[in-house]
């Protein structure tokens, strides 16, 4: 048995880190498309006539199919039933299809001035494309999480998850920093050009995943005997196992912490560029560079904090510290008089630290709470809960801005746009941080009670 384990492909450091890089690249391409529209809110208003409420509707569409059609939950079940290869290829293909629909909707003149189901036709079709893409990227996310557990369990699990998140944040950073310059590249503003670049990237990411599939087949071949033994020891995933996941209080604390924390970060990034323009007076072409500091901080810090968790433990404590930083940052952002762009940079860096701390400990903690045979479904259910926040919070912020925060109008690039006061939205984000901190303390208490080992190292010696 010892000899069989030694012959496993996952015991080759080069092989497992290469596999990680490939699937992380696919996710990087996915997150580039996810955030490519975030810096374009002002241009969408000026070029296409989208209001902030309509932009909020579009952004919230990310969760439409995942939440209401339960696509994420079905994706998790499919993952546990069919494995990472088929699920991953299908998810990557859906990302491409959704991005193509989104690009068509934004670039097509045929939808201008139309109304469908009570919404602007262009907004609705772009939203449908984004919602379709979201099914693919979220299912790809849980698939990659299970892939990392498959290759790194008992090894550098949190570090590997941190590296994957770091590459995903590169996609976010590139979107925040270069979306507006791409849209203005020819001297004529065209927001669809940015989406087209992201679509091309997704096609490359799909091709990359096919390379991973070949590696995964080799891994399974190298562990064929072990797989047979494991299946004799435990039954395959059953639908009834969903009830076992939902009855696990530790899982619920992770899921609730996830939705609260991410609701204070990802929706913030959707409006962060507009915040820099309206509150801190940064030029629109440069405004995305400040939020871009957040994901670049993640690139360095998330693997670092993951390595600490792997070797020293303290996962629940790390999540508490990250939640405290989240509260401080958004509370300071909400103070009206603090409007220096240098101050904004400092706060974004602090938010980047918080956004490195919590995910680096949260995602590797799930395998300590849920058995591996239920892991795909457990992750999918967490992502499903998270998508309620990713759907509802941008819609809420867009509505609040449109209803209560318009302060006047100005002209940018020859286009007349509204100006906004972001005090109230930042107070809302602060509230999510407070709730996240409470849940983090409850998770630590549950870990102490049940002995999940969240405060223990991941690397098995």
């Amino acid at each position: 048995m010892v000899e069989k384990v030694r012959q496993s492909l996952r015991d080759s450091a080069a092989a497992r880190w290469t596999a990680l890089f490939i699937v992380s690249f696919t996710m990087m391409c996915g997150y580039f498309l996810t955030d490519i529209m975030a810096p374009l809110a002002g241009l969408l208003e000026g070029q296409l006539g989208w209001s902030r409420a309509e932009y909020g509707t579009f952004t919230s569409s990310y969760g439409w199919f995942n939440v209401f059609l339960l696509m994420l939950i079905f994706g998790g079940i499919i993952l546990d039933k069919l494995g990472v290869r088929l699920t991953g290829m299908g998810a990557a293909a859906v990302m491409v299809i959704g991005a193509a629909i989104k690009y068509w909707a934004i670039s097509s003149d045929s939808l201008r001035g139309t109304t469908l189901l009570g919404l602007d036709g262009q907004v609705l079709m772009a939203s449908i494309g984004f919602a379709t893409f979201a099914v693919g990227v979220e299912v790809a996310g849980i698939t990659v999480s299970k892939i990392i557990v498959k290759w790194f369990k008992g090894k550098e699990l949190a570090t590997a998850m941190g590296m994957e998140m770091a590459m995903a944040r590169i996609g976010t950073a590139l979107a925040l920093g270069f979306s507006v310059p791409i849209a203005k590249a020819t001297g004529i503003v065209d927001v669809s050009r940015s989406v087209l670049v992201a679509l091309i990237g997704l096609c490359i990411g799909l091709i990359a995943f096919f390379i991973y599939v070949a590696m995964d087949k080799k891994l399974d071949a190298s562990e064929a005997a072990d797989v047979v033994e494991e299946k004799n020891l435990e039954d395959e995933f059953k639908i009834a196992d969903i009830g076992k996941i939902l009855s696990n209080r530790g899982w619920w604390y992770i899921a609730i912490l996830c939705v609260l924390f991410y609701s204070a970060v990802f929706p913030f990034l959707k409006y962060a560029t507009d915040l820099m323009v309206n509150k801190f007076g940064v030029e629109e072409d440069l405004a995305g560079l400040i939020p871009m500091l957040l994901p670049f901080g993640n690139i360095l810090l998330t693997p670092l904090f993951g390595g600490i968790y792997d070797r020293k433990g303290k996962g629940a404590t790390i999540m508490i510290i990250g939640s405290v930083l989240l509260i401080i940052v958004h509370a300071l952002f909400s103070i009206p008089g603090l409007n220096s762009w240098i101050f904004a940079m400092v706060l974004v860096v602090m938010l980047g630290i918080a956004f490195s701390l919590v995910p680096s400990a949260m995602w590797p903690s799930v395998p300590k709470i849920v058995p591996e045979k239920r892991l795909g479904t457990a992750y999918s259910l967490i992502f499903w809960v998270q998508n309620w926040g990713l759907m509802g919070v941008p819609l809420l912020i867009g509505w609040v801005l449109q209803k209560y925060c318009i302060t006047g109008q100005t002209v940018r690039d020859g286009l007349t746009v509204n100006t906004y006061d972001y005090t109230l939205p930042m107070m809302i984000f602060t509230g999510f941080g407070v709730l996240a901190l409470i849940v983090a303390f409850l998770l630590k208490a549950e870990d102490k009670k049940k002995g999940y080992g969240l405060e223990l190292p991941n690397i098995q010696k």
Side-chain angles (χ1 to χ4, degrees), residues 133-214:
F133 160 81
V135 173
V137 75
E138 291 289 296
V139 173
I142 62 175
T143 303
V144 168
S145 295
K146 191 164 185 178
I147 286 171
I148 295 172
V149 173
K150 181 177 183 178
W151 285 79
F152 286 89
K153 187 175 183 181
K155 301 183 185 297
E156 314 94 334
L157 179 59
T159 304
M161 286 192 168
M163 290 295 293
E164 185 274 325
M165 285 184 275
M167 284 196 65
R169 299 301 167 250
I170 291 176
T172 297
L174 293 174
L176 293 174
F178 297 103
S179 182
V180 172
I182 291 172
K184 296 181 176 181
T186 62
I188 300 174
V189 176
D190 184 358
V191 294
S192 69
R193 190 183 300 119
S194 301
V195 180
L196 177 60
V197 171
L199 174 58
I200 294 170
L202 278 176
C203 293
I204 298 172
L206 174 60
I207 295 170
F209 196 86
F210 277 97
I211 299 173
Y212 168 76
V213 167

Side-chain angles (χ1 to χ4, degrees), residues 60 109 124 139 150 166 237 249 265 284 291-292 326 398 436:
S60 75
D109 291 331
L124 178 61
V139 173
K150 181 177 183 178
F237 175 86
R249 185 176 295 179
V265 177
E284 191 172 50
M292 188 171 128
L326 181 71

Side-chain angles (χ1 to χ4, degrees), residues 374-392:
R374 302 175 193 147
L375 205 52
T377 304
Y379 275 124
S380 73
L381 287 167
I382 293 172
F383 277 46
W384 181 74
V385 173
Q386 177 192 0
N387 268 250
W388 278 98
L390 298 184
M391 177 185 68

Side-chain angles (χ1 to χ4, degrees), residues 24-37 62 95 130 133 137-138 140-142 164-165 167-176 198 202 262 266 270 355 363 383 386 390:
S24 298
F25 176 79
T26 301
M27 292 307 299
M28 181 185 75
C29 295
Y31 276 92
F32 182 66
L33 187 283
T34 299
D35 294 304
I36 197 67
M37 297 282 277
Y62 186 91
M95 281 196 285
F130 196 35
F133 160 81
V137 75
E138 291 289 296
I142 62 175
E164 185 274 325
M165 285 184 275
M167 284 196 65
R169 299 301 167 250
I170 291 176
T172 297
L174 293 174
L176 293 174
L202 278 176
Y262 277 77
F266 281 134
K270 302 297 185 187
F355 196 36
W363 297 118
F383 277 46
Q386 177 192 0
L390 298 184

Side-chain angles (χ1 to χ4, degrees), residues 341-375:
W341 65 269
I342 297 177
F343 182 68
M345 290 179 63
V346 172
L347 291 183
V348 168
V349 170
M350 290 176 61
L351 184 60
I353 296 172
F355 196 36
S356 299
L357 284 164
V358 174
S360 69
M362 181 171 63
W363 297 118
S365 294
V366 179
K368 292 186 175 183
I369 296 174
V370 178
E372 188 170 352
K373 70 169 185 174
R374 302 175 193 147
L375 205 52

Side-chain angles (χ1 to χ4, degrees), residues 7 38 40 48 50 59 71 73-74 122 141 149 152 180 215 250 261 302 313 346 356 363 367:
Q7 292 176 352
L40 302 176
L48 303 182
W50 290 21
T59 304
M71 297 304 293
I73 297 176
F74 289 134
Q122 193 172 50
V149 173
F152 286 89
V180 172
M215 291 192 66
F261 186 85
T302 307
V346 172
S356 299
W363 297 118

